[in-house]
Amino acid sequence: MNFAPHPIPSRTQYVLEAVKHRILTGQLAPGQPLVETELAAQFAVSKTPVREALKTLAGTGLVVMSQYKGATVRTVDAAMAQEVYDVRLLLEPEALRRTVRSGALLEEARDALERADTAADAAERSLANREFHRALYLPCGNPLLSRMLDEVRDQAALVSAVAWATLPSWEREAAEHREILRLALAGEADAAAAGLHDHIASFVRRAFPEGDPS
C-alpha cells in the first residue's frame, strides 16, 4: 500500500504560495480575515483550492481556522514568538554545528547574504534572510532535524515580519549574519553555533522583551 502524500493540485499551490507571500510580506496583517469568496475572486479560482490552501497554511501555523470566525492570519504576540524561537534555539545552533563539521561549502548562504544586501524592499530581504538560515542548517546531515526546522520556518518569518514593521533592525542582524558565516567558513563549529544562538535569542528579546526565551 502506498502512503506517499498526494501532490497539491496546481491551483491550490498557486493560491497557497500567493497567500503565504502576502502574509509574510505584511500585505495581509495578523488577525485579518481570509474570506474564501473574496480570495477566490482575486485569484480567479473556485472556493475549493482556496479552502484547501487555507487548510495547508493553518497546518504550517500561518493561518488560524475557527468555526465561528472562519480563517484569519495568525496574530503574533510574545507567547507565539517564544514558542517558535524556543524550537529554533534548541535545534538550529546544533544543526549549524553539524553543518560546519561536515565541511559544507555554504555557497547558498553566501548567495543569500548578497541578495539580502542588495534587496529592493523588505519583502525581498525577508526572503533572503529565510534562505540564509536554511542554508546553514540544511546540510547538517540529519534530514529529520532539517525537516523539523523547516516546519517552524514560516512562523519564524511571520514573527520577523511583524517585528521589523515596528522595530527595523536589519543592519544589525546582517552584521551578525556575516560574522556567523565567517566563523562557519573558518571551521569554528562551536563558535558559529554560539553566535547563531545569540543572534536568534537577541532578536526575539528586542522584539518581544516580555517573552524572552533565552
Side-chain angles (χ1 to χ4, degrees):
M1 187 177 294
N2 184 6
F3 290 99
H6 296 292
I8 298 176
S10 58
R11 289 185 179 182
T12 299
Q13 187 67 41
Y14 166 69
V15 174
L16 189 156
E17 294 299 332
V19 174
K20 179 194 288 189
H21 181 78
R22 293 184 183 187
I23 291 172
L24 296 181
T25 56
Q27 297 175 58
L28 291 170
Q32 184 170 336
L34 299 169
V35 182
E36 290 182 10
T37 53
E38 293 178 0
L39 292 172
Q42 290 175 28
F43 298 121
V45 298
S46 69
K47 291 200 298 182
T48 298
V50 172
R51 186 178 302 117
E52 294 304 313
L54 294 179
K55 287 180 181 178
T56 300
L57 290 170
T60 67
L62 291 183
V63 167
V64 175
M65 307 287 284
S66 168
Q67 180 179 354
Y68 303 104
K69 295 182 179 180
T72 57
V73 179
R74 183 173 183 177
T75 57
V76 175
D77 56 19
M80 183 269 196
Q82 181 172 2
E83 179 181 298
V84 173
Y85 275 68
D86 270 349
V87 174
R88 292 188 66 195
L89 285 168
L90 287 169
L91 300 181
E92 203 166 326
E94 177 59 27
L96 175 58
R97 182 181 287 107
R98 296 183 181 204
T99 292
V100 175
R101 289 175 177 168
S102 75
L105 298 177
L106 297 176
E107 289 299 325
E108 291 186 9
R110 292 181 198 256
D111 292 343
L113 274 186
E114 291 178 5
R115 290 198 304 275
D117 287 340
T118 59
D121 53 35
E124 189 176 334
R125 184 178 296 126
S126 177
L127 292 172
N129 175 69
R130 296 176 73 209
E131 291 307 318
F132 173 76
H133 279 272
R134 191 167 192 260
L136 295 182
Y137 68 71
L138 199 60
C140 70
N142 185 325
L144 178 58
L145 179 55
S146 297
R147 287 198 300 272
M148 291 172 71
L149 285 164
D150 273 348
E151 287 181 4
V152 298
R153 188 167 172 244
D154 287 343
Q155 295 178 62
L158 179 59
V159 172
S160 297
V162 170
W164 285 336
T166 57
L167 185 70
S169 56
W170 173 252
E171 290 185 4
R172 171 174 176 166
E173 285 139 33
E176 292 171 355
H177 284 174
R178 286 190 284 272
E179 177 61 11
I180 291 165
L181 183 58
R182 184 192 69 78
L183 291 168
L185 292 173
E188 299 184 34
D190 291 337
L196 180 58
H197 183 283
D198 291 346
H199 166 71
I200 295 170
S202 63
F203 174 80
V204 77
R205 186 186 304 123
R206 291 193 304 273
F208 301 92
E210 68 273 31
D212 180 8
S214 59

